[in-house]
């Protein structure tokens, strides 16, 4: 069997590849390791919880509405740290660049990375650059890794019955921004990526109340993230369709492209499960932050398995874990 594009699309098919890529016997440094397949690892060190994660980026186009490959490569790592409860401290950056790449574009990418770092209060402290000959690579690929420190560790598997599921804003923005841009759609108001560093938002939430589980709905979107959270927690999640915030232009583009907005990547959103007693405090914290203005309660956690959508017309259906994100090279 050979690797194909679906192996990188973040869904069930990528899981097959990960069965090979996660076969390390040396996979845990004493806290939460690779075996957990969470957003990052946790390494206890001198009484602190170090959080460690890495993320590579090959998004096309490299400059897209609302962001670029630089912003996304910083936000991807910062957000995975944040999902574990980690305050981002330091990042590394490995760039692989194709011969012929414009230096001016590199400068734009670096400036954009720096802006995102500033917003998250983190620093890029080490890096590496390789250049490959023309044709060996499509322009540029960027890997970042990051370390953070967590006061409270939050997992993706901590949902319990009675929890309320909250999303921090509209779903599908990033994936549909990329797709609509590639297709040259003119939908009046342009769809913009939501790519944003989320530590400030997450910090507010953790100060305001208890969070039982968190995950960022990146590749495979909300459908993938909520299924993973439900499966790992051993619970059922019931979602109310009419409560899910989706922008009108995202819904239109998704309809035209035959794409489910719940299956495409978000790069500035959190899905969280919180105890019912904390819902008001958490929502207030979210709404008070610029990246949480459209936060909404979308469902509840019950006994059982699967993710069930209560549809707007009164029916029920499963939200299945997608085979893969329908938008290739989305991050
Ligand atoms: Mg993640």
């Amino acid at each position: 069997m050979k690797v194909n594009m679906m192996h990188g699309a973040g869904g069930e098919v990528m899981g097959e590849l990960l069965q090979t890529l996660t076969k390390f016997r040396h996979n845990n440094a004493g806290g939460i390791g690779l075996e957990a397949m969470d957003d990052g690892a946790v390494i206890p060190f001198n009484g602190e919880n170090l959080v460690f994660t890495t993320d590579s980026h090959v998004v096309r186009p490299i400059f897209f509405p609302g962001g670029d490959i630089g912003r996304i490569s910083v936000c991807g790592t910062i957000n995975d740290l944040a999902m574990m409860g980690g305050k981002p401290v330091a990042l590394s950056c490995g760039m692989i660049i194709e011969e012929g790449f414009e230096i001016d574009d590199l400068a734009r990418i670096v400036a954009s990375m720096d802006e995102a770092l500033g917003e998250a209060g983190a620093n890029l402290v080490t890096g590496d650059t390789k250049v490959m000959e023309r044709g060996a690579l499509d322009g540029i690929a960027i890997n970042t890794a990051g370390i953070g420190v967590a006061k409270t560790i939050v997992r993706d598997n901590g949902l319990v019955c009675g929890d309320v599921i909250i999303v921090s804003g509209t779903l599908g923005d990033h994936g549909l921004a990329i797709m609509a841009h590639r297709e040259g759609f003119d939908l009046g108001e342009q769809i913009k990526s939501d790519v944003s560093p989320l530590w400030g938002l997450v910090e507010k939430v953790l100060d305001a109340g208890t969070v039982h589980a968190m995950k960022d709905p990146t590749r495979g979107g909300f459908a993938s993230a909520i299924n993973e959270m439900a499966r790992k927690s051993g619970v059922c999640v019931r979602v109310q369709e009419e409560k899910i915030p989706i922008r009108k232009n995202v819904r239109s583009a998704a309809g035209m492209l035959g794409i489910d907005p719940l299956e495409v990547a978000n790069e500035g959103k959190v899905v969280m499960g919180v105890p019912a007693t904390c819902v008001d405090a958490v929502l207030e914290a979210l709404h008070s932050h610029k990246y949480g203005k459209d936060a909404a309660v979308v469902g509840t956690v019950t006994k059982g398995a699967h993710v069930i959508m209560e549809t707007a017309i009164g029916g029920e259906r499963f939200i299945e874990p997608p085979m893969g994100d329908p938008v290739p090279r989305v991050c």
Side-chain angles (χ1 to χ4, degrees):
M1 197 169 88
K2 291 195 161 96
V3 173
N4 62 61
M5 288 305 285
M6 281 299 280
H7 282 130
E12 295 296 288
V13 178
M14 192 165 101
E16 292 169 16
L17 187 63
L18 291 181
Q19 281 178 19
T20 303
L21 292 179
T22 55
K23 276 204 177 127
F24 288 90
R25 284 181 295 123
H26 312 286
N27 65 2
N28 188 310
I32 298 166
L34 185 63
E35 76 292 339
M37 302 288 281
D38 209 323
D39 295 295
V42 176
I43 305 164
F45 186 76
N46 278 354
E48 302 266 19
N49 295 304
L50 292 185
V51 186
F52 184 36
T53 193
T54 185
D55 209 341
S56 299
H57 298 275
V58 295
V59 61
R60 287 300 175 276
I62 56 176
F63 301 101
F64 50 82
D68 56 71
I69 193 170
R71 184 169 176 82
I72 206 171
S73 61
V74 165
C75 294
T77 284
I78 280 173
N79 293 348
D80 277 339
L81 293 174
M83 293 308 113
M84 303 300 292
K87 174 184 168 60
V89 176
L91 269 67
S92 73
C93 169
M95 285 196 186
I96 307 176
I97 307 164
E98 186 189 15
E99 179 187 19
F101 197 82
E102 290 290 342
I103 298 278
D104 283 353
D105 285 346
L106 274 181
R108 272 178 79 187
I109 289 167
V110 167
S112 173
M113 292 175 79
D114 204 31
E115 191 186 321
L117 286 162
E119 219 186 302
N123 288 278
L124 201 149
V125 296
T126 187
D128 174 61
T129 307
K130 297 284 186 293
V131 177
M132 292 181 79
E133 57 273 56
R134 211 178 282 266
L137 178 76
D138 179 13
I140 188 168
I142 302 179
N143 171 275
T144 56
I147 54 171
V149 179
K151 267 193 287 182
T152 317
I153 299 169
V154 185
R155 304 291 307 273
D156 61 5
N157 64 357
L159 296 177
V160 295
C161 291
D163 279 355
V164 171
I165 302 294
I166 294 174
V167 295
S168 65
T170 53
L171 297 179
D173 298 13
H174 178 71
L176 269 308
I178 296 279
M179 211 52 196
H181 184 65
R182 282 185 195 158
E183 299 287 326
F185 281 3
D186 182 4
L187 298 152
E189 185 203 359
Q190 188 185 44
I191 303 174
K192 285 206 179 80
S193 167
D194 58 355
V195 56
S196 311
L198 294 176
W199 171 245
L201 179 81
V202 168
E203 187 178 31
K204 271 200 154 178
V205 168
L206 295 179
D207 284 344
T210 303
V211 177
H212 282 161
M214 257 191 315
K215 200 161 196 66
D216 51 346
T218 53
R219 274 174 304 178
F222 175 77
S224 183
I226 195 66
N227 269 286
E228 192 173 341
M229 292 170 84
R231 178 176 52 77
K232 286 177 168 176
S233 308
V235 296
C236 169
V237 172
R238 298 188 75 88
V239 175
Q240 283 85 45
E241 184 174 29
E242 78 269 26
K243 292 188 179 165
I244 299 175
I246 299 176
R247 287 184 203 285
K248 228 175 116 192
N249 55 3
V250 167
R251 203 182 283 285
S252 320
M256 288 163 80
L257 292 159
I259 288 175
D260 182 347
L262 299 185
E263 294 189 357
V264 303
N266 308 271
E267 295 292 340
K269 298 289 151 52
V270 196
V271 182
M272 50 182 87
V274 306
T277 50
C278 289
V279 172
D280 291 344
V282 166
L283 271 183
E284 196 186 318
L286 286 166
H287 289 154
S288 72
H289 193 279
K290 64 175 171 177
Y291 296 140
K293 292 260 176 285
D294 299 315
V297 167
V298 297
T300 49
V301 178
T302 62
K303 235 167 64 178
H306 304 296
V307 179
I308 296 166
M309 169 105 92
E310 297 168 5
T311 65
I313 54 164
E316 285 189 356
R317 68 172 176 84
F318 289 122
I319 298 181
E320 303 278 3
M323 296 307 287
D325 195 304
V327 184
R329 292 184 67 175
V330 72
C331 62

